[in-house]
Amino acid sequence: AGRMSHRKFSAPRHGHLGFMPKKRSKRHRGKCKSFPKDDPKKPVHLTAFLGFKAGMTHIVREVNRPGSKVNKKEIVEAVTVIETPPMVVVGVTGYIETPRGLRTLGTIWAEHLSEECRRRFYKNWYQSKRKAFTKYAKKWQDDDGKKVIERDFKKLAKYCKVIRVLCHTQMKLLNGRQKKAHLMEIQLNGGTMEEKVNWAREHLEKQVPINNVFNQDEMLDVIGVTKGKGFKGVTSRWHTKKLPRKTHKGLRKVACIGAWHPARVGFGVPRAGQKGYHHRTELNKKVYRIGQGIHTKDGKVIKNNASTEYDITDKSITPMGGFPHYGEVRNDFVMVKGCVVGPKKRVLTLRKSLMVHTKRVASEEIKLKFIDTSSKFGHGRFQTHEEKKNFMGPLKKDREVQA
């Protein structure tokens, strides 16, 4: 079929077979299946972080891309806000190389684990005896135990090829319902093994903020579980063609589910089933801003994390009326270009990019002119409550308060 071809002869299949089987994800938290390549010349740093999807807004910025049509022009872009409260380091684990891949050599936990971290070790916290790590913590108190821990640290530094730290999120800083922390291993890159182990040891029980991990204008990968859609038919799940209108017994179907022989249905034939809640990794999300949470400095509350050089209004990133289905963002956050997987409140794994970026778009410097904070619940007209008050004048409810 070299010349004008008929669709009958050249229809690419619908849906990628690489993402089979399309079933619900085993894990709720995105898993880093690989970490960036280690470079001992760099200083010791973390390669991933956990955050929570808050919602989307838009920004205005001037493009700096010589030769492009939009160069030096202002454009409006959609961005996602991911809330990233500092994570707490609670352990170190080391891996040695074997012919069959990496193997854990040993794990060392911190002396004090917070309640939210210990909740992770139980399915039912309120009925449990809550004894997790009570005996392990005694190691840190007596001299024999200290010797064992010292020996374990030396062992990690001497034999391991990969050092990862165990970090957990701080759920109490979020205004969510969940109290159980998300615990994950994050690889340490840069420096020698000894430096890595020392870094981990110094940071045990300490908080690590997001700006120690990612920088402005960096590219990062987002790993997470997509929004669940339940049981769907083939038209929605595989985007197959709908049958003609006059079809008997429904038209959102696949007409032929395979030849007579082999006398069974092949695995690649689109069928109805689960759609969404799949584990996905999305590469190259550009960081537009790493914002500091609402904090107090010199007795003043600083909340201007959505103002820019051009728009100096004192406003925080939370839009008027809060992010729908989420609430307020009071902690540090990452603003990335475009969308990310999952619904609001979903825990997302942000990972440093695996590639060395050479493209100009990747290294472009982002200067935001304006961040939209109008209400995302309806047609927001005002950026701040002050602006609304000035425009509307005194309202009936204000009068009632005065009376």
Side-chain angles (χ1 to χ4, degrees), residues 56-74:
M56 295 186 75
T57 179
H58 66 258
I59 55 105
V60 177
R61 71 180 182 97
E62 194 174 278
V63 182
N64 178 22
R65 212 177 293 157
S68 161
K69 279 185 180 169
V70 288
N71 188 30
K72 299 273 184 288
K73 291 194 172 60
E74 287 188 356

Side-chain angles (χ1 to χ4, degrees), residues 218-246:
E218 195 178 341
M219 287 293 207
L220 53 82
D221 302 340
V222 175
I223 307 168
V225 174
T226 60
K227 241 183 232 172
K229 311 274 191 202
F231 195 102
K232 287 280 192 213
V234 283
T235 311
S236 168
R237 190 179 185 217
W238 294 99
H239 308 300
T240 53
K241 266 268 195 292
K242 279 167 67 180
L243 300 180
R245 185 187 59 79
K246 296 175 80 165

Side-chain angles (χ1 to χ4, degrees), residues 36-49:
K37 204 171 166 193
D38 195 2
D39 180 8
K41 294 188 189 66
K42 294 200 172 95
V44 181
H45 59 275
L46 288 174
T47 51
F49 210 81

